[in-house]
């Protein structure tokens, strides 16, 4: 395995005693580039990121089976702060920022595990280069920022921890198309700077555009996996996620109704 890569194998996650949110999930993220995880509400996307970042316990969840390795080290069961120090940093769902703290204070909070004032300074400069609007608003309370600016701050705060693997949970959620485009541009730039990105998205067009490779989760299982280009060509992705109509066969009207075939699991496309 490449050092620095993330390798998840046979991951099972449960919440409480009975809710099994992931079943036998395996995936890998190389040392650089963007990998996307797609799937409908409740598919288990956030659960997967929480398992990697070690934050399942905060949601009463736990890894029941399988392994998560990053740079050849096992992550499951490790303290979340140690996972951050190893370079794996999550931007959680819902762009949570500290509303009563200023932009600067939010960024400072992201640097708690970062050692050395020179590194913290250069991380802050990098954040302000990526998001000039945050530099203009550095004294402002985060709660007063727009939704898109809060998303920028949430990503910026994660960058303060010097990630080598960034876990992004639906960064485009609830944003206007122009802001989605800006955030996508920044994700591309972060990846170009050598940070690997595991991107969870419901906006499939954006995700497949950014990622080289993608996985489709369906009720806790990997249903499809492959290169983004190949996935975008599958009928399933086009119909279910890109909102395209299925082209009916010429004799469809006269054909007898067929029962829905059982979903093939973990089909590789391409
Ligand atoms: N804290 C929790 N306690 C119990 N069940 C949970 C908890 N969090 C998630 N679940 C369940 O686990 C499954 C996967 O949820 P998860 O939040 O990972 O899905 P998701 O793909 O991120 O969905 P969304 O697109 O809505 O964010 C769902 O059935 C959900 O109800
Ligand atoms: Mg989610």
């Amino acid at each position: 395995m490449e050092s620095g890569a993330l390798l998840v194998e046979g991951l099972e996650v449960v919440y409480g005693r009975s809710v099994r949110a992931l079943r036998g999930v395996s995936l890998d993220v190389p040392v650089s580039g963007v990998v996307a995880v797609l799937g409908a509400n409740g598919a288990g996307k956030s659960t997967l990121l929480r398992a990697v970042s070690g934050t399942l316990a905060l949601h009463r969840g736990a890894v029941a089976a399988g392994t998560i390795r990053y740079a050849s080290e096992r992550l499951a069961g490790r303290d979340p702060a140690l996972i951050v120090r190893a370079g794996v940093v999550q931007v959680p769902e819902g762009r949570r920022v500290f509303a009563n703290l200023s932009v600067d204070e939010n960024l400072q909070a992201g640097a708690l595990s970062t050692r050395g004032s020179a590194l913290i300074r250069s991380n802050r400069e990098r954040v302000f280069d990526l998001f000039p609007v945050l530099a203009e608003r550095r004294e402002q309370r985060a709660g007063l920022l727009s939704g898109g600016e809060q998303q920028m701050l949430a990503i910026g705060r994660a960058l303060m921890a010097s990630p080598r693997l960034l876990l992004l949970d639906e960064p485009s959620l609830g944003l206007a198309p122009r802001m989605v485009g800006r955030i996508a541009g920044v994700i591309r730039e972060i990846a170009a700077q050598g940070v690997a990105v595991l991107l969870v998205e419901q906006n499939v067009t954006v995700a497949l555009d950014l990622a080289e490779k993608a996985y489709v989760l369906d009720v806790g299982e990997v249903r499809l996996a492959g290169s983004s280009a190949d996935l975008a060509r599958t009928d399933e992705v086009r119909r279910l996620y890109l909102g395209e109509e299925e082209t009916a066969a010429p004799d469809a009207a006269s054909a007898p109704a067929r029962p829905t075939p059982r979903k093939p699991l973990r089909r590789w496309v391409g």
Side-chain angles (χ1 to χ4, degrees), residues 167-200:
L167 311 172
L168 292 176
D169 199 342
E170 305 211 35
S172 80
L173 190 70
L175 301 182
R178 243 182 86 188
M179 184 56 81
V180 172
R182 277 174 70 185
I183 298 282
V186 167
I187 295 170
R188 200 181 308 262
E189 198 166 334
I190 291 169
Q193 292 172 357
V195 179
V197 177
L198 181 56
L199 170 69
V200 158

Side-chain angles (χ1 to χ4, degrees), residues 9-24 47 51 56 61-68 76-77:
E9 284 180 309
L11 185 65
E12 312 259 328
V13 169
V14 290
Y15 286 108
R17 275 159 199 264
S18 54
V19 180
R20 187 161 291 261
L22 293 182
R23 294 189 178 90
T47 300
L56 275 173
V63 171
T67 56
I68 304 169

Side-chain angles (χ1 to χ4, degrees), residues 46-178:
S46 298
T47 300
L48 172 68
L49 294 193
R50 288 172 190 156
V52 175
S53 63
T55 54
L56 275 173
L58 303 176
H59 304 268
R60 296 170 171 266
V63 171
T67 56
I68 304 169
R69 287 204 202 90
Y70 177 69
S72 306
E73 285 188 46
R74 277 172 185 264
L75 292 193
R78 280 178 78 181
D79 186 306
L82 290 178
I83 294 176
V84 168
R85 216 165 282 163
V88 180
V89 184
Q90 183 179 5
V91 179
E93 212 170 19
R95 64 185 83 103
R96 262 170 257 134
V97 294
F98 300 113
N100 288 322
L101 299 186
S102 70
V103 166
D104 255 340
E105 288 163 339
N106 267 276
L107 293 178
Q108 198 60 35
L112 286 177
S113 67
T114 314
R115 298 221 171 97
S117 52
L119 180 58
I120 293 174
R121 251 197 322 275
S122 75
N123 281 347
R124 192 185 286 108
E125 277 165 25
R126 175 188 182 201
V127 170
F128 288 156
D129 277 349
L130 284 168
F131 304 112
V133 66
L134 295 183
E136 288 161 22
R137 311 269 168 97
R138 50 193 298 174
E139 310 280 320
Q140 192 175 312
R141 237 165 32 88
L144 299 175
L145 298 174
S146 74
E149 289 158 358
Q150 289 186 14
Q151 182 62 69
M152 293 176 185
L153 182 55
I155 296 174
R157 198 175 53 191
L159 293 176
M160 292 300 288
S162 307
R164 287 194 294 145
L165 170 61
L166 191 61
L167 311 172
L168 292 176
D169 199 342
E170 305 211 35
S172 80
L173 190 70
L175 301 182
R178 243 182 86 188

